[in-house]
Amino acid sequence: MYEFDQTDLFSNGWKEIPGGFTGASPGTVSPLSFVGPFIPSSQDKVGLRIIVNAGQVAFIYGLDPIQTAGAPILLRVTVRADAPGAAVALAALKGDLSSGQAVDGSIATHIPATASSLVEGERRLVLLYQPDSPDVVTPIIQVAATGQSGAVSVFVDKMDVLRLDLSVSYPGSIFSSSPAEGLPPAPSTPTPVFPTPTPIGPTPTAVVPTHTPTTVPPQVTPTPGIIPVTEQEPNDSQAQAQNLGGLAPGGTINVTGRATSGGFQEDQEGNLRYIGDADFYSFNISSRLSVGFRLDWTAQADLDFYILSGGQVIDKEDSTNRPAVLERTLEPGDYLLIIISYDNPSDYTLILTAGGIAGPTGAATPSAAYPNDVSLLNGTFYQDGDVAFRYEFDGEGGYQFIGYTPLSGDVVMEQGTYSISYPLLILNHDGQTERHELKFIREDEISLDGRIYVKG
């Protein structure tokens, strides 16, 4: 999967051909743009912003070709536009465009006539392509201006690439233009594609070692306060799980450890199996608690964690977010927590807090200089001088999220209810729940999901 969450196009695994194959005047491609107001389904709220004026063409392609292994490839990209004056194309070019190998001009495209259908709401462009030999294709996104005046911004959240098994029947939902339509359950889930060196298949569901019930570790009487814990190897299985003891109301457990390796490997059945270092921890609670989990790490890696009860995964944080944060209400009982690395080794810090998510020091409240008050979020915020968004909180549990475009001005993108378990801002709207890591830097400056915004 391409998340388009890096600071430059090359780091996202893509490259631009200014003006495209026609040599037209080039448009502008801005990585790490805030797309949240325009694409509500976006998990990380960032992506590409592609801007074209009259006569301009913006053209980008994947640096690493997709290995099809003789199977059909399904490309899906989530987009939205702020005006109809552009044609957005999703394409698959036979061969490796970076090297020119096997490029003979064969190409499959999905090109809505104009971007008018993308203005009313987000849409997923879908393209199915199976080239002949050789089994490599290059993904392409192109935005070409069709109007005679005015700029058009096209927002791109992500692209996923799925290799379909010809022996399997798939429901029509995976080909839907609605981003809300998900993948079918196994065994009909398409095989994720991971070309080397940049992974561009959908993020795999981690296959953790099979867990069989074992003797429950002796319970430790929980006490409030911060309990520092250092990882003790071996803790590579459920039977070897390191016992963190009991988590008391108001208590915090601060674990420091290291994932010594990471990565996945496809087995003979085509399933992705985790082959890296898995760190197992057990803990227990004696009363119903809201428990916050915060996993942060030091290296260029992607660490994830899974929470198990009775040998079954009950929750997980396996996105690319750093830090990985999660809050869940747990019933009294014994729990297992597993930490893995999607790719590289790294040192990490895991914080469990009863009553909410703790910051790096285990504190459950922000700096005394800034109260735990969403009124600090009321107002218009800017990123790199451009309007990013505006929040309006009523102080009674309701909020509005207002986006801005040059053509339409302020637009209410979502509204719902909110709560704060610092540093987590929890927003509920349209039947879904969003969790954002919030930090107050100054009275006019915040960090939201690790990105800095300044109040205007």
Side-chain angles (χ1 to χ4, degrees):
M1 176 183 292
Y2 291 109
E3 283 286 2
F4 299 119
D5 57 356
Q6 301 301 308
T7 56
D8 60 88
L9 200 57
F10 182 83
S11 298
N12 283 295
W14 286 68
K15 187 176 181 179
E16 181 180 8
I17 297 180
F21 292 143
T22 64
S25 176
T28 302
V29 181
S30 300
L32 204 63
S33 295
F34 192 77
V35 303
F38 307 96
I39 304 182
S41 70
S42 174
Q43 296 297 309
D44 59 7
K45 304 302 181 186
V46 296
L48 302 178
R49 181 182 184 184
I50 303 175
I51 305 173
V52 291
N53 289 278
Q56 292 184 338
V57 173
F59 182 104
I60 61 174
Y61 67 93
L63 286 169
D64 297 304
I66 300 166
Q67 306 293 331
T68 70
I73 293 297
L74 181 65
L75 304 180
R76 308 188 305 178
V77 61
T78 306
V79 298
R80 189 173 182 182
D82 67 353
V88 182
L90 172 63
L93 175 72
K94 175 186 171 183
D96 181 357
L97 186 56
S98 293
S99 66
Q101 181 181 2
V103 175
D104 62 5
S106 300
I107 191 170
T109 60
H110 179 182
I111 312 175
T114 71
S116 58
S117 63
L118 310 179
V119 177
E120 297 178 357
E122 63 183 284
R123 180 178 173 185
R124 189 168 63 189
L125 301 183
V126 179
L127 177 64
L128 182 64
Y129 182 47
Q130 183 179 9
D132 55 11
S133 180
D135 297 338
V136 292
V137 297
T138 299
I140 293 171
I141 298 173
Q142 176 180 283
V143 179
T146 58
Q148 300 302 311
S149 63
V152 177
S153 291
V154 175
F155 301 91
V156 181
D157 176 41
K158 64 181 179 181
M159 175 189 287
D160 53 20
V161 182
L162 308 175
R163 187 170 63 222
L164 304 185
D165 186 340
L166 291 173
S167 66
V168 175
S169 297
Y170 298 102
S173 60
I174 72 168
F175 307 99
S176 170
S177 63
S178 171
E181 298 284 356
L183 292 175
S188 300
T189 303
T191 303
V193 179
F194 294 93
T196 303
T198 306
I200 52 176
T203 301
T205 300
V207 181
V208 296
T210 303
H211 311 295
T212 54
T214 60
T215 304
V216 176
Q219 294 199 4
V220 178
T221 302
T223 56
I226 300 175
I227 303 174
V229 176
T230 301
E231 180 197 5
Q232 299 293 325
E233 291 280 7
N235 61 342
D236 304 321
S237 66
Q238 179 173 345
Q240 298 174 331
Q242 183 174 346
N243 186 12
L244 302 180
L247 182 62
T252 295
I253 299 176
N254 192 327
V255 182
T256 55
R258 178 172 177 79
T260 58
S261 62
F264 291 82
Q265 188 175 73
E266 188 172 307
D267 62 19
Q268 294 180 348
E269 288 74 35
N271 297 315
L272 288 170
R273 297 285 176 180
Y274 183 64
I275 59 173
D277 176 27
D279 292 340
F280 287 68
Y281 298 96
S282 63
F283 67 96
N284 63 76
I285 58 175
S286 58
S287 60
R288 192 171 191 263
L289 289 175
S290 175
V291 179
F293 301 84
R294 186 183 195 275
L295 177 65
D296 203 353
W297 54 95
T298 58
Q300 292 296 319
D302 177 13
L303 269 61
D304 305 317
F305 65 86
Y306 297 77
I307 305 167
L308 292 81
S309 176
Q312 301 295 318
V313 176
I314 60 172
D315 215 335
K316 62 183 178 179
E317 174 49 75
D318 62 350
S319 70
T320 57
N321 293 337
R322 176 182 177 184
V325 294
L326 176 68
E327 184 175 21
R328 182 183 176 93
T329 298
L330 299 178
E331 300 297 331
D334 301 288
Y335 295 89
L336 194 68
L337 190 145
I338 307 173
I339 296 175
I340 67 171
S341 173
Y342 178 80
D343 40 29
N344 300 317
S346 179
D347 296 323
Y348 62 79
T349 300
L350 169 69
I351 300 174
L352 287 70
T353 303
I357 293 180
T361 63
T365 58
S367 166
Y370 304 109
N372 192 4
D373 185 353
V374 290
S375 65
L376 290 175
L377 286 174
N378 280 328
T380 302
F381 285 85
Y382 296 78
Q383 185 181 46
D384 299 328
D386 295 329
V387 174
F389 58 83
R390 189 173 89 232
Y391 274 122
E392 290 185 357
F393 294 87
D394 62 11
E396 298 178 355
Y399 83 97
Q400 287 187 331
F401 183 87
I402 300 172
Y404 172 84
T405 69
L407 295 180
S408 57
D410 289 341
V411 177
V412 177
M413 306 302 298
E414 64 185 51
Q415 57 186 356
T417 61
Y418 70 88
S419 61
I420 284 189
S421 178
Y422 191 82
L424 203 65
L425 172 65
I426 303 171
L427 304 177
N428 301 287
H429 66 92
D430 302 317
Q432 59 182 325
T433 298
E434 296 180 2
R435 296 175 172 87
H436 302 283
E437 188 185 36
L438 169 67
K439 295 180 182 178
F440 297 111
I441 300 174
R442 291 188 293 270
E443 192 166 353
D444 63 346
E445 186 174 357
I446 65 169
S447 169
L448 195 64
D449 297 327
R451 295 177 175 87
I452 304 301
Y453 300 95
V454 179
K455 184 187 292 188

